[in-house]
């Protein structure tokens, strides 16, 4: 594959992943007649099945076996991945719950503040230093959140929950890097026993009790979970850091538009100004990171 074609496919794949993530509220809304916990358990189960089928027909079985052996023979790595699997499951649950509870705008906020929360965690735990622009970006986002809490009288629990669980998930996985497919397989493998126990002893909604369309949607939940992650993994290896930095805001922007114009959620003047401060923070933060990355490339060439 030539470089130009690879770049085009990378753009299509990465863009596709963010568009799927951004439109997922529409999918979960089709299942909101079911309890959020049931949807989560079916999502885990069918994501595991879908990834297992991909591995079964993969030409890289030896690589995935090596990853599996590495995780299950190294206690520290196992605990890291197990914790990561719990965190990503919580993230999925909060997202599903937010859509069912008509809080898609809050879900979009969670994805907007996620990059800035990553910076805070890196500063606190990895002792990374922030530039003045990045400090200003975090401060601007903090002002936006405080506006929601103090003036709006609304604590966006779903936003905080989604951002924090996903940040911690990524933070933990830094210590145990796995391929996208292998990592998702192991993560779902670790939590699928919980889903099976839930189906056996707790759920009031066995799969056989549903209409064919609901069954299809629940089975498809595994596909819509795995496919965008695989597309992102493919695309991120083939396009520039700056383009990824831009595309990451496609998903929350789509969610925000869906929340306001499709789901008809209220969007007050306080929310507008809160989001405005967060958007300003994101623009400053992204610009700072892109300039820093460009300078690193220039320095590497000289």
């Amino acid at each position: 594959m030539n470089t130009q074609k690879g770049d085009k496919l990378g753009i299509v794949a990465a863009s596709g992943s963010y568009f799927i993530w951004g439109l997922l509220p529409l999918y979960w809304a089709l299942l909101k007649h079911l309890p959020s916990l049931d949807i989560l358990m079916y999502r885990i189960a069918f994501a595991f099945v879908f990834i297992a089928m991909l591995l079964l027909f993969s030409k890289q079985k030896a690589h995935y076996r090596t990853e599996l052996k590495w995780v299950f023979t190294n206690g520290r790595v196992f605990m890291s991945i197990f914790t990561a699997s719990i965190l990503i499951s919580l993230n999925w649950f909060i997202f599903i719950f937010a859509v069912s509870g008509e809080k898609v705008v809050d879900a979009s906020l969670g994805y907007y503040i996620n990059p800035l929360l990553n910076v805070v965690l890196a500063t606190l735990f990895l002792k990374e230093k922030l530039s003045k622009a990045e400090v200003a970006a975090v401060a601007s986002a903090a002002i936006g959140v405080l506006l929601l809490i103090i003036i709006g009288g609304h604590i966006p629990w779903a936003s905080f929950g989604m951002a924090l669980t996903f940040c911690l998930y990524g933070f933990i996985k830094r210590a145990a890097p796995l391929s996208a497919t292998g990592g998702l397989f192991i993560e779902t493998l670790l939590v699928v026993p919980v889903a099976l126990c839930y189906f056996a002893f707790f759920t009031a909604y066995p799969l056989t009790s549903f209409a064919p369309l609901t069954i299809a949607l629940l089975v498809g939940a595994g596909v819509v979970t795995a496919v965008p992650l695989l597309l992102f993994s493919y695309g991120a290896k083939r396009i520039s850091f700056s383009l990824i930095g831009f595309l990451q805001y496609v998903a929350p922007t789509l969610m925000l538009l869906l929340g306001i114009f499709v789901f008809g959620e209220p969007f007050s003047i306080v929310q507008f100004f809160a989001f405005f401060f967060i958007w300003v923070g994101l623009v400053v933060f992204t610009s700072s990171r892109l300039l820093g990355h460009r300078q690193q490339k220039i320095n590497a060439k000289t």
Side-chain angles (χ1 to χ4, degrees), residues 128-145:
E128 293 184 6
K129 294 183 179 180
L130 299 182
S131 67
K132 292 181 180 179
E134 289 167 350
V135 171
V138 173
S140 181
I143 290 171
V145 173

Side-chain angles (χ1 to χ4, degrees), residues 22-138:
L23 295 175
L24 271 183
L26 294 173
Y27 194 93
W28 302 126
L30 296 174
L31 290 165
K32 69 177 185 178
H33 57 285
L34 297 178
S36 299
L37 189 57
D38 282 70
I39 299 173
L40 172 67
M41 295 304 172
Y42 281 112
R43 184 180 188 181
I44 290 170
F46 286 115
F48 171 75
V49 171
F50 180 72
I51 292 294
M53 291 176 64
L54 289 181
L55 296 188
L56 186 63
F57 295 100
S58 172
K59 295 179 181 180
Q60 296 181 299
K61 291 187 182 70
H63 173 72
Y64 296 132
R65 281 197 296 267
T66 300
E67 288 188 330
L68 192 65
K69 182 179 179 181
W70 178 56
V71 171
F72 280 89
T73 57
N74 186 314
R76 184 175 179 181
V77 173
F78 176 84
M79 288 308 300
S80 295
I81 299 302
F82 178 74
T83 304
S85 68
I86 298 298
L87 287 167
I88 196 62
S89 298
L90 286 172
N91 182 269
W92 293 347
F93 174 76
I94 295 168
F95 187 29
I96 294 167
F97 184 80
V99 174
S100 299
E102 299 181 349
K103 293 187 179 296
V104 176
V105 171
D106 280 2
S108 74
L109 176 62
Y111 281 105
Y112 276 127
I113 64 177
N114 181 72
L116 299 173
L117 190 55
N118 277 332
V119 173
V120 173
L121 288 179
T123 304
L124 292 176
F125 296 105
L126 300 180
K127 306 303 180 183
E128 293 184 6
K129 294 183 179 180
L130 299 182
S131 67
K132 292 181 180 179
E134 289 167 350
V135 171
V138 173

